Protein backbone atom coordinates (compact mmCIF):
# COMPACT_ATOMS: atom_id res chain seq x y z
CA UNK A 1 0.00 0.00 0.00
CA UNK A 2 1.46 3.34 -1.06
CA UNK A 3 1.30 5.98 1.62
CA UNK A 4 2.64 9.39 2.56
CA UNK A 5 3.33 10.74 6.05
CA UNK A 6 2.89 14.46 6.57
CA UNK A 7 4.39 16.36 9.47
CA UNK A 8 2.50 19.65 9.58
CA UNK A 9 3.75 22.41 11.86
CA UNK A 10 2.86 25.96 12.71
CA UNK A 11 5.76 28.42 12.71
CA UNK A 12 7.56 29.40 15.91
CA UNK A 13 6.78 32.47 17.96
CA UNK A 14 7.29 36.01 16.65
CA UNK A 15 7.19 39.25 18.59
CA UNK A 16 3.81 39.93 16.96
CA UNK A 17 2.52 36.65 18.44
CA UNK A 18 3.81 37.59 21.85
CA UNK A 19 2.41 41.12 21.72
CA UNK A 20 -0.96 40.21 20.22
CA UNK A 21 -0.38 42.11 16.97
CA UNK A 22 -2.23 40.86 13.91
CA UNK A 23 0.00 39.17 11.34
CA UNK A 24 -1.26 37.57 8.18
CA UNK A 25 0.06 37.04 4.69
CA UNK A 26 0.96 40.72 4.36
CA UNK A 27 3.25 40.85 7.40
CA UNK A 28 6.57 39.07 6.95
CA UNK A 29 7.78 38.87 10.55
CA UNK A 30 10.75 36.88 11.82
CA UNK A 31 11.01 34.50 14.76
CA UNK A 32 11.94 36.00 18.10
CA UNK A 33 14.41 34.41 20.50
CA UNK A 34 11.79 32.07 21.91
CA UNK A 35 10.61 31.13 18.43
CA UNK A 36 14.16 30.22 17.42
CA UNK A 37 14.45 28.09 20.58
CA UNK A 38 11.21 26.32 19.61
CA UNK A 39 12.57 25.67 16.12
CA UNK A 40 15.79 24.24 17.55
CA UNK A 41 13.85 22.01 19.96
CA UNK A 42 11.73 20.69 17.10
CA UNK A 43 14.84 19.95 15.06
CA UNK A 44 16.47 18.15 17.99
CA UNK A 45 13.37 15.98 18.42
CA UNK A 46 12.76 15.14 14.75
CA UNK A 47 16.11 15.34 12.99
CA UNK A 48 16.09 11.54 12.81
CA UNK A 49 12.96 11.51 10.59
CA UNK A 50 13.90 10.76 6.96
CA UNK A 51 12.10 13.70 5.37
CA UNK A 52 12.10 13.57 1.58
CA UNK A 53 10.91 17.15 1.09
CA UNK A 54 10.13 20.32 3.02
CA UNK A 55 7.32 22.67 2.02
CA UNK A 56 6.87 26.14 3.51
CA UNK A 57 4.90 29.26 2.82
CA UNK A 58 6.64 32.25 1.24
CA UNK A 59 6.87 33.99 4.63
CA UNK A 60 10.18 33.87 6.43
CA UNK A 61 8.80 32.83 9.81
CA UNK A 62 7.93 29.42 8.36
CA UNK A 63 11.30 29.05 6.63
CA UNK A 64 13.16 29.96 9.83
CA UNK A 65 11.14 27.34 11.71
CA UNK A 66 12.65 24.55 9.55
CA UNK A 67 15.97 26.17 8.60
CA UNK A 68 18.09 23.52 10.31
CA UNK A 69 16.39 20.80 8.27
CA UNK A 70 16.98 22.81 5.08
CA UNK A 71 20.62 23.36 6.06
CA UNK A 72 21.01 19.60 6.49
CA UNK A 73 20.37 19.20 2.77
CA UNK A 74 16.70 18.20 2.60
CA UNK A 75 15.08 19.52 -0.61
CA UNK A 76 12.78 22.48 0.01
CA UNK A 77 10.09 24.42 -1.81
CA UNK A 78 8.10 27.49 -0.78
CA UNK A 79 4.56 28.16 -2.01
CA UNK A 80 2.40 31.25 -1.61
CA UNK A 81 -0.58 28.92 -1.45
CA UNK A 82 0.56 27.98 2.07
CA UNK A 83 0.68 31.61 3.26
CA UNK A 84 -1.41 32.75 6.20
CA UNK A 85 -4.84 34.21 5.52
CA UNK A 86 -4.77 37.90 4.67
CA UNK A 87 -6.31 39.73 7.61
CA UNK A 88 -6.54 42.82 5.42
CA UNK A 89 -6.28 46.38 6.64
CA UNK A 90 -5.79 45.40 10.28
CA UNK A 91 -2.54 43.50 9.74
CA UNK A 92 0.51 44.73 11.62
CA UNK A 93 -1.60 46.68 14.11
CA UNK A 94 -2.30 46.21 17.79
CA UNK A 95 -6.04 45.47 17.96
CA UNK A 96 -8.13 47.92 19.95
CA UNK A 97 -11.47 47.00 21.53
CA UNK A 98 -13.31 47.74 18.27
CA UNK A 99 -10.92 45.52 16.31
CA UNK A 100 -11.26 42.70 18.83
CA UNK A 101 -15.03 42.87 18.43
CA UNK A 102 -14.65 42.80 14.66
CA UNK A 103 -12.54 39.63 14.81
CA UNK A 104 -14.95 37.92 17.20
CA UNK A 105 -17.87 38.69 14.91
CA UNK A 106 -15.91 37.58 11.83
CA UNK A 107 -14.91 34.21 13.30
CA UNK A 108 -18.47 33.69 14.58
CA UNK A 109 -19.80 34.38 11.08
CA UNK A 110 -17.39 31.77 9.69
CA UNK A 111 -18.48 29.25 12.33
CA UNK A 112 -22.10 29.93 11.36
CA UNK A 113 -21.41 29.14 7.72
CA UNK A 114 -20.56 32.47 6.09
CA UNK A 115 -17.15 31.23 4.94
CA UNK A 116 -17.27 33.41 1.83
CA UNK A 117 -17.06 36.49 4.06
CA UNK A 118 -13.58 38.03 3.71
CA UNK A 119 -11.65 40.05 6.22
CA UNK A 120 -11.91 43.75 5.38
CA UNK A 121 -9.52 44.21 2.42
CA UNK A 122 -8.37 40.64 3.02
CA UNK A 123 -9.33 37.02 2.27
CA UNK A 124 -12.14 34.66 3.11
CA UNK A 125 -11.62 31.04 4.22
CA UNK A 126 -12.99 29.88 0.86
CA UNK A 127 -10.33 31.92 -0.96
CA UNK A 128 -7.56 30.52 1.23
CA UNK A 129 -8.67 26.94 0.68
CA UNK A 130 -8.84 27.55 -3.08
CA UNK A 131 -5.16 28.57 -3.17
CA UNK A 132 -4.15 25.71 -0.88
CA UNK A 133 -5.67 22.98 -3.03
CA UNK A 134 -3.15 23.20 -5.92
CA UNK A 135 -0.31 22.85 -3.40
CA UNK A 136 -1.95 19.79 -1.83
CA UNK A 137 -2.48 18.31 -5.30
CA UNK A 138 1.19 18.95 -6.12
CA UNK A 139 2.39 17.26 -2.92
CA UNK A 140 0.15 14.25 -3.52
CA UNK A 141 1.34 14.00 -7.14
CA UNK A 142 4.77 13.05 -5.80
CA UNK A 143 4.33 9.61 -4.19
CA UNK A 144 8.10 9.17 -4.16
CA UNK A 145 8.17 11.75 -1.36
CA UNK A 146 7.11 9.31 1.35
CA UNK A 147 7.64 11.65 4.30
CA UNK A 148 7.22 15.43 4.06
CA UNK A 149 7.44 18.36 6.46
CA UNK A 150 5.10 21.31 5.93
CA UNK A 151 5.54 24.59 7.83
CA UNK A 152 2.74 27.13 7.73
CA UNK A 153 0.44 29.31 9.85
CA UNK A 154 -2.34 29.04 12.42
CA UNK A 155 -5.52 30.02 10.58
CA UNK A 156 -4.20 28.64 7.28
CA UNK A 157 -3.44 25.35 9.04
CA UNK A 158 -6.99 25.12 10.35
CA UNK A 159 -8.33 25.70 6.86
CA UNK A 160 -5.93 23.15 5.36
CA UNK A 161 -6.96 20.45 7.82
CA UNK A 162 -10.60 20.78 6.80
CA UNK A 163 -9.50 20.43 3.18
CA UNK A 164 -7.46 17.30 3.87
CA UNK A 165 -10.24 15.62 5.84
CA UNK A 166 -13.02 16.76 3.49
CA UNK A 167 -14.82 18.70 6.21
CA UNK A 168 -16.83 21.92 6.02
CA UNK A 169 -14.92 25.07 6.85
CA UNK A 170 -17.32 25.68 9.72
CA UNK A 171 -15.35 23.02 11.62
CA UNK A 172 -11.91 24.63 11.23
CA UNK A 173 -11.79 26.06 14.76
CA UNK A 174 -11.88 22.59 16.28
CA UNK A 175 -8.22 22.26 15.24
CA UNK A 176 -6.30 23.83 18.09
CA UNK A 177 -2.77 25.07 17.58
CA UNK A 178 0.12 26.77 19.34
CA UNK A 179 3.46 28.03 18.09
CA UNK A 180 5.61 25.19 16.72
CA UNK A 181 2.94 22.58 17.33
CA UNK A 182 2.87 19.41 15.23
CA UNK A 183 0.07 17.61 13.43
CA UNK A 184 0.87 14.17 11.98
CA UNK A 185 -1.25 12.87 9.13
CA UNK A 186 -1.06 9.83 6.85
CA UNK A 187 -2.31 9.59 3.28
CA UNK A 188 -3.20 6.31 1.57
CA UNK A 189 -2.86 6.38 -2.20
CA UNK A 190 -4.91 3.21 -2.52
CA UNK A 191 -7.82 4.62 -0.54
CA UNK A 192 -7.16 8.26 -1.55
CA UNK A 193 -7.81 9.21 2.03
CA UNK A 194 -6.09 11.07 4.87
CA UNK A 195 -6.03 9.67 8.40
CA UNK A 196 -5.30 11.57 11.58
CA UNK A 197 -2.36 10.46 13.75
CA UNK A 198 -1.88 13.27 16.28
CA UNK A 199 -2.60 16.97 16.64
CA UNK A 200 -1.29 20.08 18.38
CA UNK A 201 1.61 18.03 19.73
CA UNK A 202 4.12 20.14 21.69
CA UNK A 203 5.96 17.38 23.57
CA UNK A 204 9.14 18.37 21.72
CA UNK A 205 8.99 21.75 23.49
CA UNK A 206 8.76 20.40 27.02
CA UNK A 207 12.54 20.36 27.42
CA UNK A 208 12.70 24.15 27.09
CA UNK A 209 13.21 26.15 30.26
CA UNK A 210 10.28 28.54 29.98
CA UNK A 211 6.56 27.78 29.70
CA UNK A 212 5.18 27.12 26.23
CA UNK A 213 3.20 30.16 24.99
CA UNK A 214 -0.32 29.28 23.81
CA UNK A 215 -0.77 32.12 21.32
Amino acid sequence: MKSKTIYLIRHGETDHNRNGIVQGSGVDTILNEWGNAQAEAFYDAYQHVPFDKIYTSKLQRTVQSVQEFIDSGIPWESHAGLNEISWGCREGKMPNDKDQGYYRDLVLAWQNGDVNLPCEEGESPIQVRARQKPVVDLILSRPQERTVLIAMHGRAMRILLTLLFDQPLTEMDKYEHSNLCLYRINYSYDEQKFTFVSGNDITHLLSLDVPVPQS
Side-chain angles (χ1 to χ4, degrees), residues 147-204:
T147 307
V148 300
L149 173 60
I150 303 174
M152 51 189 306
H153 310 264
R155 177 58 58 176
M157 177 187 290
R158 285 175 158 165
I159 293 169
L160 179 71
L161 287 164
T162 66
L163 172 61
L164 300 186
F165 293 110
D166 195 25
Q167 297 167 330
L169 279 162
T170 53
E171 297 189 27
M172 60 183 162
D173 284 295
K174 78 178 186 180
Y175 293 108
E176 298 181 354
H177 60 73
S178 53
N179 286 118
L180 225 306
C181 71
L182 169 67
Y183 275 78
R184 286 178 56 195
I185 304 157
N186 289 334
Y187 179 76
S188 166
Y189 282 93
D190 293 334
E191 299 178 4
Q192 296 187 353
K193 182 180 179 181
F194 290 93
T195 54
F196 184 86
V197 179
S198 62
N200 198 26
D201 182 358
I202 55 170
T203 55
H204 49 278

Side-chain angles (χ1 to χ4, degrees), residues 96-163:
N96 56 33
D97 289 344
K98 183 178 179 181
D99 292 333
Q100 295 285 15
Y102 170 81
Y103 287 123
R104 283 194 298 270
D105 291 344
L106 181 65
V107 172
L108 182 60
W110 291 344
Q111 291 172 345
N112 289 333
D114 194 0
V115 292
N116 281 294
L117 178 65
C119 312
E120 186 178 2
E121 299 180 20
E123 290 180 296
S124 70
I126 283 286
Q127 290 172 315
V128 174
R129 189 152 76 170
R131 62 170 164 83
Q132 290 177 346
K133 190 177 186 307
V135 184
V136 173
D137 291 344
L138 176 67
I139 293 171
L140 294 183
S141 74
R142 298 166 170 174
Q144 71 277 13
E145 297 173 3
R146 298 290 302 276
T147 307
V148 300
L149 173 60
I150 303 174
M152 51 189 306
H153 310 264
R155 177 58 58 176
M157 177 187 290
R158 285 175 158 165
I159 293 169
L160 179 71
L161 287 164
T162 66
L163 172 61

